[in-house]
Amino acid sequence: MTKQLTVLDVTLRDGSHSMRHAFTEQQVRDVARGLGEAKVKYFEVSHGDGLGGSSLQYGFSKVDELKLIAAAKEECGDSAISVLILPGIGLKEDLKNAVKAGATMARVATHVTEANVAGQHIYLSRELGLKTVGFLMMAHMAPTSVIVEQAKLFESYGAEIIYVTDSAGAMLPHEVKERVAALKSHVACEIGFHAHNNLSLAMANTMAAVEAGATYVDGSLRCLGAGSGNTQTEVMVAVFDRLGYETGIDLYRTIDVANEVVAPFMPRPQEITGSSLMMGYAGVYSSFLLFTQEAAKKYNVDEREILVELGKMKAVGGQEDLIAEIARNIAVVK
Amino acid sequence: MVKLKVAILGSGNIGTDLMYKIERSEYLTMSVMVGIDPTSDGIQRAKDRGYHTITNGIAGLIACPELFDIVFDATTANAHSAHSEQVLALGKKIVDLTPAAIGPFVVPCANLEKYVAVDNVNMVTCGGQATIPIVYAINQVVDVTYAEIVATVASKSAGPGTRANIDEFTRTTARALEEVGGANKGKAIIILNPAEPPIMMRDTVHVLVNEGGKEEEITKAIEEIVNAVQQYVPGYRMTSAPIFEGQQISVFLEVEGAGDFFPPYSGNLDIMTAAAVQVGNQMAKLQHGTVKSN
């Protein structure tokens, strides 16, 4: 029997970090149309830090995300649009507005130990009839027992799918397998996995997750995402096809949209630079990358020193304000 | 000098910390702790320290009007409106530490003078108490067109109420950045960090102003207001000098609590109770004038 797998493309959300939140409406239309034609069932459109992420802290969106969601909706045919929301950043009304613009899935994201800030957003998402996901970020920072306990909270609020999210690209395949397998045996929800490629393990980790029972996996075209990006969607489609999984996605069309639409607007290749490697190694949130590079330049300090310090301070997703301060302090000490 | 008698509604952590701070006040005297659970730690502590305790909630308190002049409400937003109605009906004052915000927002060093005579005032949020003074100070020098704050607190110091109502925190703080801070538009972000040992509360204030420059004047205004906040929260400080970049200014703050009942890292909880006591003190001073003239 063929095993079913849902690939969710995050180019238009995680890629927003790499694009410094400057996606144009045309870029979004073109990607959305391509993903629709390739029969990618779900794809995500939001500011990189989720709904309401447009800010001085994370970067203002060049085009309002609601406008981008509505544009994507017009182009994407039978594909469905997901939005990310981080309680503490995005508000319930942001989610309602996203639904009006065309979203039908909500992924409610918290740090891996803080699922109980997501109750009101998960309830609302279910009330609005959305496919509802609990997204446990920085999963490398908590032991499996804690992840299970947090997943149970998400499940109790009404999440239908729970993601293990390797925001720092810091996990190794056996760690992914252990966490996904534990969730699989302790919660009734479907399990998903979201990777970052900082240690060149995104595809391997995604395979490990699927082997352990994950049925939702995230990818981005040409890896366009924070840090070194995500598992490459088109590669993943090919790999899972070879492994005998049914994704329902047209490989050639996926390659076409990656080559013809995404590659031309990418600001830089998603290669594993010294600093993204360090993020995976030190366990630092992937979207800190560009902020760290800017701060390193401005204060003339080594990017790696900033990243290691962020790792030491156990910074969590969203703490971009630490970066400039750390860089300046390193510069002062010197 | 006649001190105002205080009733604390809500015998949880906030109420308990308030009790300790009120003990040090020159203008307030702790009188009665009101809860709904006779076995709660806060009720026990109040009893041990020789205060009245009431364990049937607001009904019990209203039956003993001689025990209090001013109420600090450290319960929940839902409960607050009923509490407020009954307390005001007795002609007494109420300081609201819940997100209910029936009365005007008060941040002591920004607008307390304006509202000290109002009978129900609201203490905004912890993030608001920590950041609004900065926005207010900058706005005295140049027009703040946009104010955004990022409050990062230790997971251990974010209680179940905050967690279940995180949207209320961001929404209320954003509104108060406008109404009290004076920004044309406000935005608030809250982040919980579970690191061990727990991190000190951190607040970053990013603002956009209508004209660049005036760095010296703005820095001076910020330093002055930091001093003013330190009068009631000694552990409130900038962790480094403000960053000026064109029309953007970023200010980095840390709030260390007094360690009364909460551990010092819980600066977020401490700044709420300290600011509330400061409001109570000012109300008492005003009332004291009245008492004397009678």
Side-chain angles (χ1 to χ4, degrees):
Chain A
M1 122 194 161
T2 29
K3 297 159 280 184
Q4 301 288 322
L5 195 58
T6 302
V7 172
L8 191 153
D9 185 89
V10 296
T11 309
L12 296 176
R13 199 279 304 166
D14 217 317
S16 170
H17 292 296
S18 289
M19 300 293 290
R20 294 176 194 274
H21 315 293
F23 275 126
T24 65
E25 189 181 323
Q26 193 58 49
Q27 288 166 346
V28 168
R29 281 186 184 277
D30 293 345
V31 173
R33 194 180 323 111
L35 290 169
E37 286 168 6
K39 306 279 180 236
V40 173
K41 198 168 161 195
Y42 288 105
F43 68 96
E44 192 157 78
V45 186
S46 311
H47 184 281
D49 295 271
L51 298 174
S54 180
S55 57
L56 289 168
Q57 173 86 348
Y58 308 122
F60 284 120
S61 300
K62 182 172 172 185
V63 180
D64 188 312
E65 58 193 344
L66 295 174
K67 213 171 161 189
L68 297 180
I69 294 166
K73 181 71 182 173
E74 283 176 18
E75 303 289 342
C76 70
D78 294 335
S79 296
I81 297 176
S82 153
V83 289
L84 184 75
I85 179 165
L86 278 65
I89 300 176
L91 299 172
K92 284 183 283 185
E93 46 264 39
D94 294 324
L95 187 56
K96 287 184 190 160
N97 291 334
V99 171
K100 279 185 208 142
T104 54
M105 175 193 268
R107 305 208 299 171
V108 182
T110 72
H111 184 72
V112 62
T113 54
E114 312 297 318
N116 64 354
V117 297
Q120 59 182 172
H121 305 84
I122 300 258
Y123 299 139
L124 174 67
S125 174
R126 290 300 301 268
E127 217 176 279
L128 294 169
L130 305 177
K131 189 86 175 166
T132 304
V133 180
F135 206 67
L136 290 167
M137 300 189 293
M138 298 290 268
H140 73 284
M141 285 178 91
T144 301
S145 58
V146 170
I147 297 188
V148 167
E149 165 199 303
Q150 296 290 310
K152 283 183 175 165
L153 288 175
F154 266 139
E155 185 178 37
S156 73
Y157 306 140
E160 299 160 278
I161 305 161
I162 291 163
Y163 263 73
V164 174
T165 303
D166 183 17
S167 319
M171 291 170 76
L172 304 175
H174 70 277
E175 295 168 333
V176 174
K177 197 171 269 180
E178 182 190 310
R179 285 161 167 83
V180 171
L183 290 189
K184 205 60 201 164
S185 58
H186 287 94
V187 293
C189 303
E190 287 193 70
I191 308 303
F193 180 70
H194 174 100
H196 280 271
N197 203 37
N198 299 334
L199 293 177
S200 198
L201 288 171
M203 188 65 242
N205 282 344
T206 305
M207 268 178 60
V210 169
E211 281 162 11
T215 46
Y216 276 77
V217 286
D218 285 9
S220 57
L221 296 163
R222 283 284 174 116
C223 299
L224 189 70
S228 295
N230 312 96
T231 314
Q232 196 164 346
T233 299
E234 59 276 27
V235 171
M236 188 159 55
V237 171
V239 169
F240 284 120
D241 178 59
R242 290 276 305 275
L243 286 170
Y245 287 88
E246 179 58 59
T247 64
I249 296 175
D250 180 335
L251 173 64
Y252 280 22
R253 284 302 296 131
T254 318
I255 296 175
D256 289 344
V257 62
N259 284 354
E260 291 158 21
V261 178
V262 176
F265 67 60
M266 285 173 61
R268 72 196 73 76
Q270 291 285 158
E271 64 192 357
I272 301 172
T273 59
S275 22
S276 47
L277 188 170
M278 286 302 291
M279 303 185 95
Y281 185 66
V284 175
Y285 200 61
S286 295
S287 57
F288 288 2
L289 180 67
L290 300 184
F291 292 90
T292 302
Q293 290 175 341
E294 274 165 29
K297 211 174 197 177
K298 184 170 170 190
Y299 296 104
N300 193 25
V301 297
D302 189 330
E303 287 169 30
R304 290 172 296 188
E305 277 189 62
I306 304 174
L307 290 167
V308 167
E309 190 58 29
L310 284 164
K312 264 194 224 154
M313 292 177 75
K314 298 187 181 133
V316 301
Q319 287 193 269
E320 271 82 343
D321 53 313
L322 274 177
I323 298 171
E325 217 191 337
I326 288 175
R328 194 166 57 168
N329 290 344
I330 294 172
V332 168
V333 170
K334 284 181 175 170
Chain B
M1 137 146 199
V2 186
K3 290 183 173 186
L4 285 192
K5 284 179 285 186
V6 170
I8 295 174
L9 258 179
S11 59
N13 296 339
I14 295 271
T16 308
D17 191 76
L18 266 171
M19 172 171 75
Y20 292 163
K21 287 189 167 56
I22 286 162
E23 287 176 352
R24 289 199 303 269
S25 164
E26 286 174 50
Y27 307 97
L28 304 171
T29 182
M30 177 63 197
S31 170
V32 53
M33 177 69 87
V34 187
I36 47 171
D37 174 6
T39 64
S40 79
D41 184 55
I43 290 285
Q44 278 311 317
R45 281 173 192 262
K47 204 177 270 176
D48 292 347
R49 297 168 92 85
Y51 304 123
H52 300 281
T53 56
I54 290 174
T55 55
N56 60 336
I58 183 73
L61 179 67
I62 294 304
C64 312
E66 72 287 354
L67 288 184
F68 66 102
D69 306 304
I70 181 169
V71 175
F72 288 85
D73 191 349
T75 61
T76 64
N78 285 340
H80 177 72
S81 57
H83 294 166
S84 174
E85 228 167 80
Q86 297 179 62
V87 169
L88 298 186
L90 291 175
K92 298 174 192 287
K93 289 171 170 291
I94 188 161
V95 177
D96 171 20
L97 287 91
T98 81
I102 298 171
F105 290 138
V106 167
V107 176
C109 55
N111 69 349
L112 177 53
E113 277 167 36
K114 189 167 159 196
Y115 293 116
V116 67
V118 174
D119 288 331
N120 176 338
V121 296
N122 175 270
M123 298 308 302
V124 198
T125 60
C126 61
Q129 288 297 338
T131 59
I132 288 166
I134 304 293
V135 176
Y136 175 83
I138 298 172
N139 196 53
Q140 300 306 301
V141 183
V142 280
D143 189 25
V144 173
T145 53
Y146 174 78
E148 176 182 309
I149 70 105
V150 183
T152 308
V153 305
S155 295
K156 274 196 178 155
S157 63
T162 304
R163 289 168 178 273
N165 299 291
I166 198 161
D167 263 28
E168 281 70 9
F169 172 92
T170 41
R171 207 179 291 121
T172 301
T173 309
R175 191 154 67 84
L177 284 166
E178 297 166 8
E179 291 179 14
V180 186
N184 300 357
K185 175 143 185 51
K187 180 175 178 69
I189 292 169
I190 181 167
I191 295 167
L192 305 181
N193 182 316
E196 286 290 339
I199 57 156
M200 207 76 87
M201 183 201 201
R202 286 179 52 89
D203 295 277
T204 298
V205 181
H206 302 292
V207 301
L208 293 176
V209 296
N210 69 339
E211 49 175 324
K214 297 199 179 169
E215 291 190 17
E216 247 170 66
E217 216 177 318
I218 292 168
T219 304
K220 188 162 163 276
I222 294 171
E223 282 166 355
E224 278 171 10
I225 206 119
V226 168
N227 274 331
V229 177
Q230 281 170 348
Q231 301 310 306
Y232 54 96
V233 186
Y236 180 83
R237 55 188 169 249
M238 282 196 276
T239 55
S240 53
I243 295 180
F244 291 82
E245 231 173 348
Q247 280 162 261
Q248 183 180 335
I249 306 165
S250 298
V251 180
F252 305 95
L253 304 155
E254 183 174 83
V255 188
E256 178 178 1
D260 286 319
F261 177 66
F262 299 122
Y265 63 78
S266 294
N268 51 315
L269 303 174
D270 192 84
I271 197 166
M272 278 297 269
T273 52
V277 171
Q278 182 74 355
V279 171
N281 284 341
Q282 292 302 319
M283 285 178 163
K285 281 190 218 170
L286 185 77
Q287 195 119 331
H288 187 57
T290 320
V291 171
K292 266 203 297 199
S293 66
N294 282 346

